[in-house]
Amino acid sequence: MACRISELVIDAEDPDRLAAFWRDVLGYVELGREGDGSIEIGPPGVGFGGAQPTLVFNAGRDPRHGKLPLHIDVNATDREQEAELDRLLALGAVTVDVGQTGEESWHVLADPEGNEFCLLRTRLKPL
C-alpha cells in the first residue's frame, strides 16, 4: 500500500488573494474556510480525496530567504504553452529569472505573493 498527496498547504499573507489566483489557474472551486482564515480549494464536484490534491492557504507567513524548497509545476490542458502563459500573466503571475538560459522548455513564474512555479510545455489531458 502507498500514500497519495491529498492536499498541499501554503502559508499566505493574503489567503483570499492566493486562493483566487490558484482557483483561476487550476479551474478549482472554493471548498471551505476555517475560523483561522485558511481557505481550501479543489476540483469542482470532487473536493478533498479526489485524484487531484486540494490546496489550503493558511493565513500568515514567516519571511523566507532564498529559493523555496518546493514549487508547483503546471501544464496546460486545453491550449498551447504560449497561450497558457498569456492567460497566467493576465491572472497576475509574473515571470521570474532564476538563471534560465532561454533554452528551457518551461517558463518560471511567480504567483501574486512571489511563490515560484513552472509552466511546462507538454499539454496534458484534463482529468
Side-chain angles (χ1 to χ4, degrees), residues 17 27 42 45 56 63 71 74 80 84-85 91 102 109 114 116:
R17 181 178 180 202
V56 177
H71 73 264
V74 298
E80 296 301 320
E84 183 64 1
L85 176 61
L91 289 173
L109 304 165
E116 295 169 5

Side-chain angles (χ1 to χ4, degrees), residues 1-119:
M1 186 167 281
C3 288
R4 185 163 66 88
I5 295 174
S6 58
E7 59 188 15
L8 299 173
V9 181
I10 302 165
D11 290 343
E13 293 174 10
D14 185 345
D16 281 304
R17 181 178 180 202
L18 270 192
F21 174 81
W22 284 103
R23 187 185 64 231
D24 290 343
V25 168
L26 299 172
Y28 277 17
V29 297
E30 185 174 311
L31 299 174
R33 292 173 179 256
E34 297 294 327
D36 64 359
S38 65
I39 301 169
E40 184 172 17
I41 64 171
V46 179
F48 178 82
Q52 297 167 277
T54 62
L55 300 178
V56 177
F57 298 93
N58 284 335
R61 154 161 101 180
D62 294 328
R64 67 172 184 261
H65 304 283
K67 185 177 186 279
L68 295 173
L70 174 75
H71 73 264
I72 297 172
D73 288 340
V74 298
N75 295 68
T77 59
D78 62 351
R79 67 197 78 200
E80 296 301 320
Q81 183 187 39
E82 292 305 311
E84 183 64 1
L85 176 61
D86 291 341
R87 186 181 81 87
L88 296 176
L89 294 172
L91 289 173
V94 295
T95 58
V96 177
D97 181 357
V98 294
Q100 305 94 299
T101 65
E103 300 299 316
E104 293 80 8
S105 62
W106 62 88
H107 294 279
V108 182
L109 304 165
D111 70 17
E113 288 195 5
N115 301 303
E116 295 169 5
F117 68 100
C118 293
L119 171 61

